[in-house]
Structures are given as C-alpha cells and as structure tokens.
Amino acid sequence: MPQSKFKGMADPTGMRRNLANYGDAGFSVFLRKAFIKAMGYTDEALDKPIIGIVDTNSGYNACHRNVPDLIEAASRGVMLAGGIPIPFPVISIQESFSNPTSMYLRNLMALDVEEMIRAQPMDAVILLGGCDKTVPALMMGAASANIPAIMLVTGPMLAGSWRGEKLGACTDCRRFWARYRAGDIDEQQIDEVNSELAPTIGTCGVMGTASTMALTVEALGMMLPGGAAVPAVHAERRRLAELTGKRAVEMAAERLTPDRILTPAAYRNALRVLLAVGGSTNALIHLTAMAGRSGIAIDLDGFDAMGRETPVLVDLKPTGQHYMEDLYKAGGLTPILRQLGNLLDRSCLTVTGKTLGENIDAMPPDWPQDVIRPITEPVYRTGAMAVLRGSLAPDGALIKQAAATQSLLQHEGRAVVFDGLADMAARLDSRDLDVAPDDILVLRNAGPKGAPGMPEAGYIPIPKKLAQAGVKDMVRISDARMSGTAYGTIVLHIAPEAASGGPLALVKTGDRIRLNTAGRRIDLLVDDAELAKRRATLPPLPSGEGRRGYDKLYFDTVTQAERGCDFDFCIPEIVHRVP
C-alpha cells in the first residue's frame, strides 16, 4: 500500500487528527487504522468525517438512562449525513450519587471531556449530558478544546402523582420531606411519595439546575432550537438526537467552533434567560465557569442590574406551579425568547449556522397556554435573583428572591451558627437548640474549600421543634449552594467563604445580622474592633498540605463562587466582562 495513504496532513481531518506521537505521522495513521479495523470498519468508512459522541451513561445515573437510545439516534443522523459516529466514555455525575458533592467532581469531568476531545480523532463532537453538573462540565471542556461542538441533553422526566396530587423531583422531594420532619405525614406516606417523585427516567421535572442549564445552553446557541424542554421519554427527544447528529457533520464541514458562538453577547442572552425562567442559583456559578473558559468574566453587579429589568415569566416550580412537561407543551424556550424581545441580542450565531433571531422566527408560532406569562404580566416583576454585598459578603452573595418568603426579604435577626455540616447535623434537631423563628440560621465551612465541594447544604432544614410548631421558612445564610429545586429565604455563595478567611468565619451565635434585599446588602452588625479581635484568634486556615491526588489539585486551585469555582489554571486571560 502506498505510503501516501498514511502520511499526515497540514490540516488533518478524520483519522489523521490528534495523532499519537511516534515521531512518524504516517506510522501513527497506519497503526491507528490497523487497530480500529479490528472493530469492523472499512477504509471507505474511515475516510468519512468522524463525529465523537460523549457517552455519559452510568448505572448510577437515572437522569442519563436514555443515553444509549440517544447515541443510537444521533449516530443514525451522523451516518445519514455522511459521517462516522464514534461514542466515547467520560465521567458521569449524578447529583445524589456523588460524594462529597457533584460540584467537587464537575471540574474533573470538564478536564476529562477536554482531554478526551483533544486526545482522540474527531472533526466535531456531540456533547450528551443532562444531570446538573454534566452540562456545564461538557460545555467547559468543549469551550477549551474548541472543535465544532453541539449539545444534546437527555431531557426532563415526567411528573408523578400521589393520592391525586401531582409530584415532581425534586422541589416536591424537599416539600414532602419538610412535612415528614414536621410530623404532617407518616412513614408509610413518605415511602409512597418516594416512589412517585421520579416516575420516569430523565432530569428533574422542575426548574432545577438541569432544566435551567438546558434552557440557558439553548439560549447560548449551543443546542438545536427547541431542544431543552422535550421530555426524556418522548419520541421527539430521539428525533432531536438524529437531527443533532446530522447537524454535527455539517458543523464539521463548516468549521463552526465554540469560540464563534460563545461570545459576550451570547452569555448576556443566557443570563437574561436564567432570570426570566426563574432558574437555579447554581446556574450563575456554572455560566461563570463556562464563560471563564472563553476569557469572559461575569460581573455580578451587572447581573444584578440585568435582573432589575428582567421579570420572571415562567410559572414553574419552585417559583411557580407547573412542571417541565408543561413548559414543553407550551412551546419550550421559544415563547420565552419572543417575550424577551429587544432584551435579547438576536444577532448571535448559533449551532444552526443561523442567528438566534433567525432561529426564533423559523420556529412555529406561539399558541395559548398558561405556563409562560406575557412580559407585561409576569410571575415576579423584580428579577428572580439579587446579588448582595456588605460586611458579611464583600465579594458577593446571592438570593433567589422569587422563591423566598417576601416578608423576610427585609429582616434583622440573631445569628444561630453552625460550624459545618457535621455540627449542623448534630445540633439542628436538638430540643435544646436555642433558636426562635425570627433568628437567622448560619452555616459556614460549606464553601468550595470548606466542605469541600460547596454542597447543596444552603437549604438548611427548619429546626425540627420549629417545623413541628408550624414554622415554614426562616432566613438562612451560608457559603454553600442550594439545589435549583429548593425554595425559601436563603442567602448563598457568600464570598469569600469561611475557609478562605471570609467574614463568615467571624460570626458568633447571638450576633445580629441584617438582610436588606432591596438595598442589596447582607451585613454583620458587629463593630470592626471586635471583629479584629476575633480574627486574631482564628485557627490557621485549611491548606493543601497533606492532601494527595485530585483532592490536592482541587484544594490548591479551585476559585471562589464569584469566579465559578473552576480551577484557576483552566481560566485564560479575561478579555471581556458581561453583562
């Protein structure tokens, strides 16, 4: 066989991309083809464009149970368009099966995705994920690798039913668990509820982090129009997969890379959609990390200003009453984009090769429904989230005001402090806990480094004795996160975290704290002299000394919440700030 058939190319494609280094490009191609032919490929097949498909299937991940079906459908689309699909595995993260937290593993998955895209031959890649941290991890890795990439999500599950009441993971998980803790329902009833919260495969059926990330990624232009809300079990989800495969081949030919799509204007659109859908607070951290990979910084104060002019339009749990299957029936993201109108930049390029505005105009017309409100009659007028600063959070904190008890958004109370997750677990339900309904529950050492991994522990349960007395909500503050499916008057992402020496480390039980949401403030009402005395007696901050492996890498390099909790060495020079 002539040597020319195996020699490298100046602009390699297909099997000639990302060659193993043997010092001889021709031999590298020869050896690669020899081994892949063991799987039955012909030379003709191996000359086609190669489309990698990220396989995030796992026996631990019910959110991704349909991944094999979607790979099959996407592969069909690739082959119909003249390409060769090659699935390859990466880390799969399921929220409730990740110790210590899924957030701790997000960056590991992002590294895995980036390096596997770089290491293996592919002309484009289909990013297949769904559960909370998988979508941002896929996007982070793809943005850094920067080959043509298109997102395909697994889709939300359908809602369940218990004794005539519609249920959905996981807002109703928390609601019913709170009722169980308060003694409103018994053990048999909570077991019955448990079997109905997730009645089908797919991601949580409310506006949790998975749904929020799917909608914001569609708004970014990295997903086919209409792709975010289709339920996991619907045939339309598989048809979307086939179309995604077909489009991936076209994107490879067009060299349509993420850097052309993931622009500052595209991130402004995504942040606008985050606010309009009443999305997860987690999404702000994830979008910050994703944008950072493209040299774009999210400005928290700018985001807050954007929130003041972006009402919540979607009546969907936990902010409203409906579920993701209802949003799908209402038209998905497109009617939301149409309501936002001039608040969006319609000129942004998308994976279709067309602009966002062209995509919107090409979608079916809207129809009557009660899930997406007109912008003149929103669910919540003043923005889903607010960014707080003050003596307790000099680098920022976040509150999802649309899901809070409105009377508690302006509140001053006595701090009841828990030093970490173990302390909270040990004392929260004690009958001896000194706590009253007007107090403010404070959890620290639950941030990126303190936990580690910034767990979704910010949704501090109401102390049992108060819950049994009928207390439904209290002001709760922490350097942790909370699930996008949660609700309540909860201040999150306090930065710097306590484990990095932030003011949260100085709070003592009995201190007064003032939450002034309207004024965008969260303040510890203790004078500077007293705080200086307390700081002088703090124990040494935790360090990476004595740690090993990924734990050491994570601890030494993870950034704080306002920078997305990415690894500092993965973030290039920042050249843009948005909004």
Side-chain angles (χ1 to χ4, degrees), residues 355-545:
T355 66
L356 179 68
E358 289 172 325
N359 289 344
I360 294 170
D361 293 342
M363 292 293 281
D366 298 344
W367 53 85
Q369 44 78 33
D370 61 357
V371 180
I372 303 161
R373 300 277 187 86
I375 198 166
T376 54
E377 301 174 23
V379 175
Y380 194 86
R381 291 188 178 278
T382 56
M385 303 176 200
V387 174
L388 310 175
R389 295 189 186 272
S391 63
L392 199 51
D395 291 340
L398 196 64
I399 185 169
K400 190 173 182 179
Q401 57 183 349
T405 300
Q406 299 303 292
S407 61
L408 289 176
L409 290 175
Q410 307 295 123
H411 184 76
E412 182 181 318
R414 184 187 71 116
V416 177
V417 180
F418 300 100
D419 273 320
L421 300 179
D423 183 40
M424 183 177 74
R427 296 195 295 122
L428 183 70
D429 287 343
S430 170
R431 300 299 301 181
D432 297 329
L433 181 67
D434 181 12
V435 65
D438 289 340
D439 290 341
I440 294 177
L441 303 181
V442 178
L443 172 65
R444 62 178 170 223
N445 296 315
K449 294 182 179 181
M454 206 179 183
E456 292 186 340
Y459 183 76
I460 304 168
I462 302 299
K464 194 167 187 176
K465 67 181 182 181
L466 296 183
Q468 291 174 335
V471 176
K472 303 297 184 185
D473 193 13
M474 299 173 68
V475 176
R476 289 158 274 181
I477 69 174
S478 72
D479 47 13
R481 298 177 299 114
M482 76 174 179
S483 169
T485 64
Y487 51 89
T489 313
I490 301 173
V491 178
L492 304 150
H493 310 177
I494 287 182
E497 64 174 312
S500 289
L504 194 64
L506 307 177
V507 184
K508 290 185 176 182
T509 293
D511 289 346
R512 304 292 293 181
I513 293 174
R514 179 181 297 135
L515 169 63
N516 176 8
T517 305
R520 301 304 195 256
R521 299 282 302 184
I522 181 77
D523 289 296
L524 176 61
L525 305 181
V526 177
D527 64 60
D528 292 342
E530 172 62 21
L531 293 179
K533 290 178 184 178
R534 294 181 187 181
R535 186 169 293 282
T537 63
L538 283 179
L541 295 175
S543 72
E545 185 176 353

Side-chain angles (χ1 to χ4, degrees), residues 42-336:
T42 64
D43 282 312
E44 182 182 6
L46 296 175
D47 284 339
K48 303 293 185 183
I50 295 175
I51 308 301
I53 305 178
V54 179
D55 183 354
T56 54
N57 187 32
S58 167
Y60 291 105
N61 199 337
C63 303
H64 292 197
R65 183 60 184 85
N66 61 342
V67 164
D69 292 343
L70 297 180
I71 289 176
E72 178 185 11
S75 297
R76 182 170 64 246
V78 170
M79 289 187 285
L80 286 170
I84 291 295
I86 301 185
F88 63 96
V90 298
I91 292 167
S92 182
I93 304 173
Q94 206 283 336
E95 183 66 34
S96 58
F97 281 87
S98 300
N99 178 271
T101 77
S102 59
M103 188 67 165
Y104 177 76
L105 297 171
R106 184 201 66 182
N107 297 349
L108 181 61
M109 183 179 176
L111 291 174
D112 187 7
V113 171
E114 176 183 353
E115 295 308 321
M116 288 302 97
I117 291 174
R118 292 188 192 280
Q120 300 170 133
M122 60 192 80
D123 299 294
V125 62
I126 297 171
L127 309 169
L128 180 46
C131 194
D132 294 12
K133 310 307 177 291
T134 64
V135 170
L138 289 164
M139 288 290 297
M140 291 159 68
S144 294
N146 202 39
I147 71 164
I150 185 170
M151 177 65 70
L152 173 64
V153 293
T154 57
M157 66 178 68
L158 300 182
S161 176
W162 179 68
R163 301 188 180 185
E165 182 176 356
K166 195 172 184 179
L167 299 182
C170 212
T171 297
D172 293 323
C173 307
R174 288 169 170 79
R175 181 167 64 89
F176 274 91
W177 189 251
R179 290 182 61 189
Y180 174 65
R181 282 171 48 81
D184 290 344
I185 58 175
D186 61 28
E187 191 159 350
Q188 178 184 337
Q189 291 171 315
I190 196 66
D191 285 344
E192 292 174 6
V193 168
N194 185 257
S195 297
E196 286 294 327
L197 287 165
T200 75
I201 60 172
T203 55
C204 287
V206 299
M207 193 59 74
T209 304
S211 299
T212 305
M213 292 311 303
L215 290 162
T216 54
V217 169
E218 183 180 336
L220 272 172
M222 287 293 292
M223 185 190 303
L224 289 182
V230 181
V233 296
H234 279 209
E236 180 64 13
R237 175 58 59 193
R238 285 140 190 81
R239 287 191 285 268
L240 269 167
E242 181 182 306
L243 293 172
T244 298
K246 178 177 181 291
R247 182 58 195 153
V249 177
E250 297 166 350
M251 290 175 66
E254 297 165 9
R255 307 292 177 92
L256 182 50
T257 48
D259 60 342
R260 297 174 57 193
I261 297 171
L262 300 176
T263 62
Y267 275 103
R268 280 191 286 272
N269 287 341
L271 291 169
R272 187 78 70 182
V273 166
L274 166 60
L275 291 160
V277 301
S280 166
T281 51
N282 286 321
L284 182 58
I285 290 181
H286 296 321
L287 288 169
T288 300
M290 289 158 49
R293 294 297 184 97
S294 300
I296 301 169
I298 303 299
D299 177 69
L300 290 180
D301 295 324
F303 175 70
D304 183 76
M306 179 183 282
R308 293 174 185 270
E309 64 181 16
T310 309
V312 178
L313 302 179
V314 181
D315 183 9
L316 200 149
K317 289 192 175 188
T319 302
Q321 293 302 312
H322 293 287
Y323 295 83
M324 282 299 292
E325 62 187 78
D326 303 312
L327 179 62
Y328 167 63
K329 293 171 186 175
L333 179 64
T334 299
I336 302 168

